[in-house]
Amino acid sequence: MIMRNLYKFLFVILILTTSCKRELDLTFGTTPDERMNALQKEYKQELVSAEYGWKVLNETYSKGNYGYYMDFDVNGKDRVRMVSDINTNSSTQLQESAYRVKIVNAPMLSFETYNYLHLLNDPNPGVMGGTAGRGLQADIEFDFKRSNGDTVFLKGRKNGTQMILVKATKEEQELYLNGGYLAAINKVKQIFANNMVSTFELNDVTYQIVPVVSNKRIQVIGKVNNKIQITDQAFSFAIDGLEIPRGLKVGNKLINKLLMLGDKFYAITQSGEKIAVNGTSTPPIPINEMMGVGYKGLIINYPNINLGTSTAGAALIQRFWTHGTVVTNPPYFNIFMKIDWDTYNKKIKLTGNITNMYSDYPSIITYDYTFDPATGYYKLSNRSLYDQYNVRAWRYLDQMENFFLNSQFKLDYHVEGGNIYGKITGVERPDVAMTFVLY
């Protein structure tokens, strides 16, 4: 009797629970599955609604921003085709892959098969120069965040990077699909090369624009009230110039774009103001004032020998490149040499670093320095070695050390190919000239 009553009680509870669940499911007139399917279709329709595709900006956390053109639902299928400013091939060769709009806690865009986005995430540093196992810390799955007119904003699920989609015009689509993207990229580079040094005037201050194309970053440098100010942001190439989505703060302005009109650039502010960019032959601030203030120092990455380096200078760098690949177990991922300025303590630090799949192995040598403003000569002395990690690698900096300890040197800008380098030239050893990237 007790068991029979218990079964009746449980049966009543089951009926009530089921009834409540059905009532909850139909609160909005549809089941949860129906609502999810409707939401999925709504966001997918937003992607395919762009008749001429999308201009896309995609961030990474370690190496700048990248531009794309994307067209969703090619031939009515769940496919996306794209070009990108990653390299020459990607900016001209259309690539097609699968995509899906899914509901996983929130509407999400997922790129399902390998494409130019995945290239940024390649775990092999030899592909894009990223970190082993992590690539450039980009994303391939994105949450829909919001839309505003012809613009859709997304955020990466893994790394939180930003993706922005802007509807393209018919003219822009034709350019992207017919080689116009590469032509625009090359034209941007050529304008910087022709300008030698690019500057603009704002509030009676001359600002210098420094593009670092290899790292997809751009700097603006100015001297305000006798203090050097430098701002730095990631950029991507657009069909009509450079996009700087997070903006370069210059005085009380925020520059979001360098617009290319003919053979000239114009800095476009957030408010739409257009400021002409001009070309000169000399940077407005001497390089010796910039070291340790606007720039930390000089750097060169394996296996580069930069333009402007003499035969004797190349030999000093090449000695470390050649032996640096031997002294640690391959595969080696990142070998670099850098020279840092500590202007407060009047010290210069030479670092030779080797990274394999396990760790970094830096050899650090520090010198005192004096600088003669009349001649522009640096003189190094009082060498000290900090070599906790790699007892062998520093030996292959020996020829570089011999140069620094036995020859004064001058430091100058070297402008070539639209990029500005720092150039060391020996005084007692005038045959030695070495160019490095300013950073």
Side-chain angles (χ1 to χ4, degrees):
M1 188 71 176
I2 294 174
M3 290 299 293
R4 186 181 301 168
N5 289 336
L6 178 60
Y7 288 142
K8 288 180 178 178
F9 176 74
L10 291 176
F11 179 73
V12 171
I13 294 297
L14 179 61
I15 293 297
L16 289 172
T17 303
T18 304
S19 299
C20 291
K21 184 176 185 301
R22 286 178 180 168
E23 184 178 351
L24 179 63
D25 284 351
L26 298 175
T27 299
F28 299 99
T30 58
T31 66
D33 284 345
E34 289 171 337
R35 291 197 297 275
M36 288 178 66
N37 288 337
L39 192 62
Q40 185 176 357
K41 289 178 181 178
E42 177 187 340
Y43 279 90
K44 182 178 178 182
Q45 179 58 35
E46 188 164 28
L47 291 178
V48 303
S49 67
E51 182 179 2
Y52 304 113
W54 301 88
K55 298 177 291 182
V56 180
L57 181 141
N58 185 39
E59 286 184 329
T60 74
Y61 269 139
S62 64
K63 197 176 181 181
N65 295 341
Y66 292 83
Y68 293 79
Y69 167 80
M70 294 186 187
D71 191 5
F72 291 89
D73 259 21
V74 180
N75 299 322
K77 300 179 180 178
D78 291 336
R79 308 286 289 178
V80 57
R81 60 179 179 173
M82 65 180 70
V83 291
S84 173
D85 68 352
I86 294 172
N87 54 45
T88 299
N89 287 335
S90 69
S91 59
T92 55
Q93 301 299 314
L94 272 171
Q95 189 176 70
E96 187 176 312
S97 70
Y99 82 95
R100 285 182 64 193
V101 174
K102 300 186 282 189
I103 308 296
V104 183
N105 297 325
M108 178 184 83
L109 170 61
S110 174
F111 293 88
E112 302 280 286
T113 54
Y114 198 91
N115 58 37
Y116 293 139
L117 283 170
H118 293 77
L119 197 62
L120 305 182
N121 286 276
D122 198 298
N124 179 1
V127 174
M128 288 291 294
T131 304
R134 295 190 297 171
L136 301 184
Q137 294 177 271
D139 285 286
I140 56 174
E141 293 183 330
F142 298 86
D143 286 329
F144 287 86
K145 303 307 291 183
R146 70 184 191 279
S147 59
N148 180 16
D150 62 356
T151 305
V152 176
F153 298 87
L154 303 99
K155 185 176 181 180
R157 284 219 157 186
K158 182 178 180 181
N159 293 302
T161 58
Q162 180 178 229
M163 177 181 276
I164 303 173
L165 288 73
V166 180
K167 287 183 179 179
T169 65
K170 183 178 181 180
E171 181 184 9
E172 288 169 335
Q173 181 191 54
E174 290 175 354
L175 288 170
Y176 279 114
L177 297 181
N178 295 288
Y181 201 12
L182 178 60
I185 291 168
N186 288 336
K187 188 172 182 181
V188 166
K189 293 178 180 179
Q190 190 59 51
I191 292 174
F192 277 122
N194 292 343
N195 281 353
M196 299 295 283
V197 177
S198 296
T199 63
F200 65 90
E201 303 288 329
L202 183 63
N203 298 330
D204 298 322
V205 176
T206 300
Y207 290 93
Q208 179 184 347
I209 300 174
V210 182
V212 185
V213 174
S214 59
N215 287 328
K216 302 295 289 291
R217 299 194 71 84
I218 191 163
Q219 297 173 335
V220 170
I221 304 167
K223 195 171 184 180
V224 182
N225 298 325
N226 291 320
K227 290 185 178 180
I228 294 172
Q229 296 182 357
I230 182 167
T231 56
D232 173 273
Q233 275 294 351
F235 75 85
S236 63
F237 288 101
I239 207 76
D240 58 356
L242 300 181
E243 297 283 356
I244 314 165
R246 296 193 180 272
L248 281 162
K249 190 69 164 44
V250 182
N252 60 352
K253 306 286 186 180
L254 195 67
I255 295 173
N256 292 111
K257 186 180 183 72
L258 287 185
L259 178 65
M260 180 172 59
L261 293 175
D263 293 324
K264 284 186 67 67
F265 282 133
Y266 294 86
I268 308 300
T269 68
Q270 192 175 40
S271 62
E273 183 180 356
K274 188 167 70 173
I275 305 169
V277 175
N278 300 304
T280 67
S281 59
T282 306
I285 304 174
I287 191 170
N288 297 312
E289 292 185 35
M290 292 287 293
M291 303 312 295
V293 182
Y295 298 116
K296 293 180 181 178
L298 312 172
I299 191 167
I300 187 169
N301 290 287
Y302 173 84
N304 296 335
I305 301 294
N306 292 325
L307 297 170
T309 298
S310 68
T311 301
L316 304 187
I317 298 169
Q318 194 65 53
R319 176 165 171 79
F320 187 66
W321 288 171
T322 301
H323 295 281
T325 59
V326 176
V327 297
T328 188
N329 295 323
Y332 45 84
F333 292 139
N334 187 22
I335 300 177
F336 65 80
M337 185 188 305
K338 65 177 181 176
I339 304 164
D340 292 323
W341 264 250
D342 177 354
T343 56
Y344 181 80
N345 294 301
K346 297 296 181 184
K347 292 185 181 294
I348 282 178
K349 182 170 65 177
L350 170 66
T351 301
N353 185 81
I354 301 169
T355 303
N356 67 10
M357 63 186 299
Y358 305 108
S359 187
D360 286 336
Y361 298 93
S363 293
I364 302 170
I365 305 167
T366 301
Y367 309 88
D368 294 335
Y369 79 86
T370 57
F371 174 71
D372 184 347
T375 61
Y377 294 172
Y378 289 89
K379 181 175 179 60
L380 305 190
S381 61
N382 297 329
R383 167 209 190 262
S384 62
L385 172 66
Y386 176 73
D387 189 35
Q388 180 178 350
Y389 297 103
N390 193 348
V391 72
R392 292 174 293 174
W394 68 268
R395 296 177 183 174
Y396 303 108
L397 293 170
D398 56 347
Q399 293 182 10
M400 186 70 72
E401 275 214 88
N402 181 65
F403 166 73
F404 279 137
L405 289 172
N406 292 286
S407 178
Q408 301 174 92
F409 66 86
K410 298 182 296 182
L411 184 63
D412 299 292
Y413 289 113
H414 180 79
V415 183
E416 192 158 351
N419 289 316
I420 298 178
Y421 302 91
K423 183 173 184 178
I424 287 175
T425 305
V427 177
E428 286 78 16
R429 288 281 312 274
D431 60 317
V432 174
M434 299 175 288
T435 57
F436 299 82
V437 172
L438 292 154
Y439 84 104

